[in-house]
Amino acid sequence: MTPENSEPSKPHNEVHGEMRGVQAKEVHGDVVFNSFYTVRGNKPPELFDRRVSESELERVQECFVSPTSFEPASRVLRDYSVVVLHCPGTGRTTAGLRLLLDAGYQQLVHLSSDRTLGSIKDEELEPNHGYLWESVGLEGTPLPTPDLRHMLSLVSDKSARLVIIVNYSSQIPAEAGQLSVELKAPDPFAVAHRTLDFEHATRAAHDVLDDHLAAHLAVGDPPYKAARAAELAILIDEGELDSVTALRELTESVDQALEDIIDTSWSTVVYTMLLSVAFFHDKPFDDAAHHAAKLDELVRAQELPEDKTLRPRRVFAHPKDQLLRQIRATTETRDHPRHAGLKEQTVRFLRPDFAAAVLRRFWQQYHLEHRILLNWMCGTGMEEAAVQALCTVILQVPARDPLRQLDNLAASNSHLQRRLAVRTLTRLVYVHKMTALVKQTVENWVTGSVNRQRTAALVYASRYGRDDLERTLEQLGKIGRSDSWQVRSTVVGAVLGILALPGRHELVLKTVAGWVDAGKANRKNANLRQVGLELAMWVVGVLPEAADLPLNRTNLGEQYPKTIRTLTGEVVQDPDFGERMFSHLAKLAASSRSRRADQPLSRNEDTLLRVVHLLYPDLRWWARFQTGLVLRVQHPQRRATIRRILRTAQQLERRPPYDELPVA
């Protein structure tokens, strides 16, 4: 049994295909190690989300009106190379781009919000660029101090600048207070008139703005509302809109505005494009279109009788421009983020707050389609966008059981869906302070179905479980009593993830030893003993995959010698686990024979000698004979193997030691 897919009763483990983190046996699909997840075959999200287009740069240069505190922000960016802007509805993105332009940067790039700042590598950034990274919306996450330090060093070395955009000051660590600037919205009247000038509007359009619309702009209104007022003034001046309709569009709520554009005669193509643009807002249009088509197929298939197939659609019936006009969206052509000389198009709503409103409306109005929508979101591969959408639904759509959809994800056979539930729960705790609700939900999963138990183990392996480690290990012990080897293997992965963290060794080792003893004293805890023995194999390092665990086993043996020796002895005494241990040690012994006697020990040879010393502190013949006799009685089929292992270990004692790199 190894995390996350293996079976304890099988002595031999093989991995077919790519291996990441901690896992063994044959692995199909997704793999997990602690709270760091790797989906087999997937790569980390691309760092460059989109390059700022020429038209965007022109608009920023010509239409920009400085918000309050713009000058202090400019000084911070100049002095530290990084500035953090916060306060929603103040034009932070536009202000950030203008800051980078004023600092002398013409190559501006939006970095992907799916990437954490700490995951960015030196070779991924281009020198002399201005970068903008956003962690906004309902899913905004606190910035870790190490991530900020990392980026301060990185952008300075690249002669670059970085603008970070968050929602609230609570997302900014106290140590980074000098980087933080709170913006306030610019004068909406100035923004509206500057927009009219940029659009080369007539004097009459300025008069329309002053006479009909300006009274409904107030200090503190977001810049996009002022820009919308300017657009409406132009439409009135050109005779395409009357002032009453324009005033209603300017002042109505976003939910009312959305309801006004939706037509009951729309086909599923329009509805699915509306939802896809909301999900892929400011993302490549071809991604939005591709997944809109997938959602359309899901919806149409749901409507069919079982014995029918989908009818072909009419060809060329839905032009892109027509579709986007219907849903009040537009595209922006910009340089391709990775391939010089090529272009791409991103898609967005004309009104920025439409994205969240669309998600709310679909969830409120189409409750029978929740399962379809949930499966579609999980299938897009846009994990961060899915977390954001789920947070929007949970926090803004009234429900007696607000976490019902997360419970459905937790019960799923898909590891991707269970992982999505974990990430969303963690976000709800640390961003939205819903600790009590999350705690109750996770504790219910501890005694729930197999997949719910696996999800609960993943939750306790995440940041959530580190706040109260004793409670976490207690809950993992309850889950580890499950009859399902899949559940038990997930518990192993969760505990290994905690063990890999600095300062957690003593409590984890004590707990693992307790689980091993519990199975000896009470047959009801036999499954928990299996978990403990598997963990002992990882701790001692007698699995081929154990090298993936960042653990200095030499230091661990010196700090907790009694516990490590006890765990090693328990593994050896178990028929199945002892067989696996000696099988691995025999392979290590065989591989060491080809090395010269004057060479320092290799990593594998050091592992062999260290484990043998746990079993045989004294490798001289008589002491070795006495201990070896006991083991050969316990494992009679391994008598020759044990003798070879001991002889090899005795030879290795004369070799120069292995110089192990320090590990936390």
Side-chain angles (χ1 to χ4, degrees):
M1 177 178 61
T2 53
E4 162 158 281
N5 294 322
S6 64
E7 189 172 356
S9 60
K10 300 292 181 68
H12 300 293
N13 294 309
E14 295 178 271
V15 177
H16 301 287
E18 183 178 0
M19 185 179 76
R20 290 286 187 269
V22 184
Q23 73 268 357
K25 198 175 176 288
E26 185 169 357
V27 178
H28 300 284
D30 306 328
V31 201
V32 60
F33 172 61
N34 189 28
S35 56
F36 302 94
Y37 306 101
T38 299
V39 180
R40 193 169 60 130
N42 282 8
K43 296 180 180 179
E46 293 286 348
L47 178 61
F48 283 18
D49 188 32
R50 62 190 188 277
R51 293 184 183 272
V52 178
S53 67
E54 293 180 2
S55 61
E56 286 178 304
L57 290 176
E58 184 182 7
R59 180 174 287 273
V60 169
Q61 289 171 327
E62 300 296 331
C63 293
F64 181 72
V65 177
S66 297
T68 305
S69 300
F70 183 79
E71 287 303 320
S74 181
R75 289 195 296 271
V76 170
L77 186 64
R78 180 194 63 208
D79 295 342
Y80 296 98
S81 301
V82 175
V83 64
V84 184
L85 307 180
H86 63 93
C87 195
T90 57
R92 294 163 296 167
T93 301
T94 303
L97 295 176
R98 184 57 182 259
L99 284 170
L100 294 171
L101 281 175
D102 289 352
Y105 294 87
Q106 295 299 315
Q107 297 293 325
L108 307 185
V109 179
H110 288 269
L111 301 180
S112 172
S113 297
D114 291 345
R115 291 284 295 274
T116 63
L117 294 177
S119 73
I120 299 174
K121 300 178 181 178
D122 176 82
E123 60 270 18
E124 291 183 291
L125 292 182
E126 298 178 6
N128 302 308
H129 275 52
Y131 296 104
L132 191 143
W133 182 84
E134 303 185 36
S135 178
V136 298
L138 288 169
E139 84 290 1
T141 307
L143 299 173
T145 300
D147 286 12
L148 287 174
R149 291 175 181 160
H150 170 69
M151 290 308 298
L152 281 167
S153 173
L154 212 55
V155 297
S156 178
D157 292 344
K158 291 288 185 178
S159 299
R161 294 290 185 272
L162 172 66
V163 175
I164 298 173
I165 295 178
V166 299
N167 275 346
Y168 309 109
S169 59
S170 59
Q171 295 175 249
I172 306 168
E175 298 89 338
Q178 74 274 17
L179 304 178
S180 169
V181 178
E182 179 182 1
L183 297 183
K184 292 186 179 179
D187 180 357
F189 309 105
V191 172
H193 282 290
R194 188 71 63 85
T195 303
L196 288 175
D197 292 337
F198 177 75
E199 299 292 345
H200 305 292
T202 65
R203 180 65 246 174
H206 284 270
D207 293 337
V208 168
L209 176 66
D210 292 336
D211 296 340
H212 297 283
L213 303 175
H216 297 277
L217 293 176
V219 174
D221 277 346
Y224 74 79
K225 182 178 179 181
R228 179 60 177 159
E231 294 168 1
L232 293 171
I234 293 173
L235 292 175
I236 294 174
D237 178 51
E238 294 175 348
E240 296 185 20
L241 203 66
D242 61 83
S243 58
V244 175
T245 303
L247 189 59
R248 177 173 55 80
E249 289 192 14
L250 181 64
T251 57
E252 67 185 352
S253 68
V254 63
D255 293 312
Q256 184 60 51
L258 179 61
E259 186 174 344
D260 287 345
I261 71 166
I262 292 178
D263 191 330
T264 55
S265 65
W266 280 0
S267 67
T268 58
V269 172
V270 186
Y271 277 105
T272 54
M273 180 60 77
L274 178 67
L275 183 59
S276 192
V277 171
F279 194 81
F280 289 90
H281 200 248
D282 260 336
K283 301 294 182 185
F285 171 77
D286 45 347
D287 285 346
H290 172 74
H291 288 287
K294 283 186 170 294
L295 179 58
D296 177 67
E297 290 179 4
L298 286 174
V299 172
R300 292 169 63 208
Q302 187 71 19
E303 295 173 343
L304 283 177
E306 292 184 1
D307 58 340
K308 300 294 182 181
T309 58
L310 289 176
R311 292 179 55 190
R313 282 204 174 279
R314 289 175 53 200
V315 180
F316 305 132
H318 301 281
K320 179 188 78 173
D321 291 345
Q322 176 186 324
L323 270 177
L324 295 182
R325 277 197 301 271
Q326 286 178 282
I327 63 174
R328 303 297 192 272
T330 186
T331 56
E332 183 82 34
T333 302
R334 58 183 81 244
D335 290 336
H336 197 283
R338 296 186 302 280
H339 306 299
L342 297 181
K343 301 286 186 180
E344 72 166 359
Q345 284 189 328
T346 56
V347 64
R348 62 177 176 83
F349 289 115
L350 296 174
R351 183 166 174 170
D353 51 357
F354 254 29
V358 168
L359 292 170
R360 289 195 303 268
R361 181 176 180 84
F362 268 80
W363 221 262
Q364 284 181 302
Q365 299 297 327
Y366 306 107
H367 61 282
L368 295 179
E369 283 73 40
H370 282 180
R371 171 52 64 180
I372 296 176
L373 299 180
L374 208 56
N375 288 338
W376 174 77
M377 285 195 301
C378 293
T380 61
M382 299 289 291
E383 193 166 309
E384 187 64 25
V387 172
Q388 176 181 351
L390 286 168
C391 286
T392 299
V393 168
I394 290 167
L395 295 168
Q396 298 188 10
V397 176
R400 180 64 179 267
D401 183 2
L403 300 187
R404 183 188 303 275
Q405 302 309 323
L406 295 189
D407 184 70
N408 291 336
L409 292 177
S412 170
N413 286 325
S414 164
H415 175 68
L416 179 62
Q417 294 198 11
R418 298 195 301 274
R419 181 174 76 195
L420 191 59
V422 174
R423 287 194 59 184
T424 307
L425 283 178
T426 306
R427 198 70 56 83
L428 291 173
V429 170
Y430 292 103
V431 179
H432 307 295
K433 313 304 179 186
M434 299 180 66
T435 306
L437 177 59
V438 169
K439 180 180 179 181
Q440 177 185 347
T441 301
V442 177
E443 288 182 352
N444 289 340
W445 291 348
V446 168
T447 55
S449 65
V450 165
N451 285 334
R452 288 183 175 89
Q453 287 182 312
R454 298 172 75 186
T455 308
L458 294 179
V459 174
Y460 287 120
S462 72
R463 177 187 174 189
Y464 172 83
R466 300 174 201 165
D467 292 341
D468 185 353
L469 197 54
E470 290 189 11
R471 174 67 174 169
T472 289
L473 292 172
E474 178 186 344
Q475 294 295 89
L476 288 173
K478 293 179 182 178
I479 301 171
R481 292 176 172 84
S482 170
D483 290 331
S484 166
W485 63 266
Q486 293 176 311
V487 173
R488 298 197 300 273
S489 64
T490 309
V491 172
V492 171
V495 177
L496 289 177
I498 297 171
L499 183 64
L501 299 171
R504 314 298 172 94
H505 300 155
E506 183 175 3
L507 180 58
V508 173
L509 291 175
K510 179 181 177 181
T511 301
V512 171
W515 290 353
V516 172
D517 285 341
K520 294 168 64 177
N522 189 337
R523 293 184 62 183
K524 292 181 179 179
N525 294 322
N527 290 336
L528 188 58
R529 174 176 167 81
Q530 295 284 306
V531 172
L533 290 173
E534 185 70 28
L535 285 166
M537 296 274 283
W538 283 93
V539 170
V540 176
V542 285
L543 288 171
E545 305 83 8
D548 291 340
L549 187 65
L551 201 64
N552 191 319
R553 293 177 173 84
T554 301
N555 291 346
L556 208 62
E558 293 173 354
Q559 294 173 11
Y560 312 102
K562 183 177 179 180
T563 304
I564 299 299
R565 287 186 185 280
T566 300
L567 290 176
T568 307
E570 292 289 350
V571 170
V572 168
Q573 292 173 31
D574 185 272
D576 292 333
F577 285 92
E579 169 67 19
R580 290 171 60 190
M581 172 185 276
F582 284 122
S583 175
H584 181 61
L585 292 179
K587 291 178 182 178
L588 296 182
S591 67
S592 73
R593 294 173 186 170
S594 61
R595 300 180 63 88
R596 297 198 313 268
D598 60 340
Q599 285 186 331
L601 295 178
S602 68
R603 186 174 187 174
N604 285 342
E605 289 170 334
D606 178 74
T607 298
L608 173 63
L609 186 57
R610 178 179 50 78
V611 175
V612 169
H613 276 158
L614 291 172
L615 298 171
Y616 304 87
D618 187 351
L619 283 178
R620 289 177 299 178
W621 181 85
W622 179 247
R624 191 181 73 203
F625 173 78
Q626 290 180 310
T627 308
L629 185 61
V630 176
L631 293 180
R632 287 193 290 271
V633 169
Q634 292 175 331
H635 299 276
Q637 75 280 12
R638 284 289 185 179
R639 289 179 179 179
T641 300
I642 293 172
R643 283 196 295 268
R644 286 196 299 269
I645 291 171
L646 293 178
R647 283 197 299 267
T648 303
Q650 192 174 34
Q651 295 169 3
L652 294 178
E653 278 190 319
R654 307 186 188 102
R655 297 261 298 275
Y658 170 67
D659 185 16
E660 183 171 10
L661 295 175
V663 178

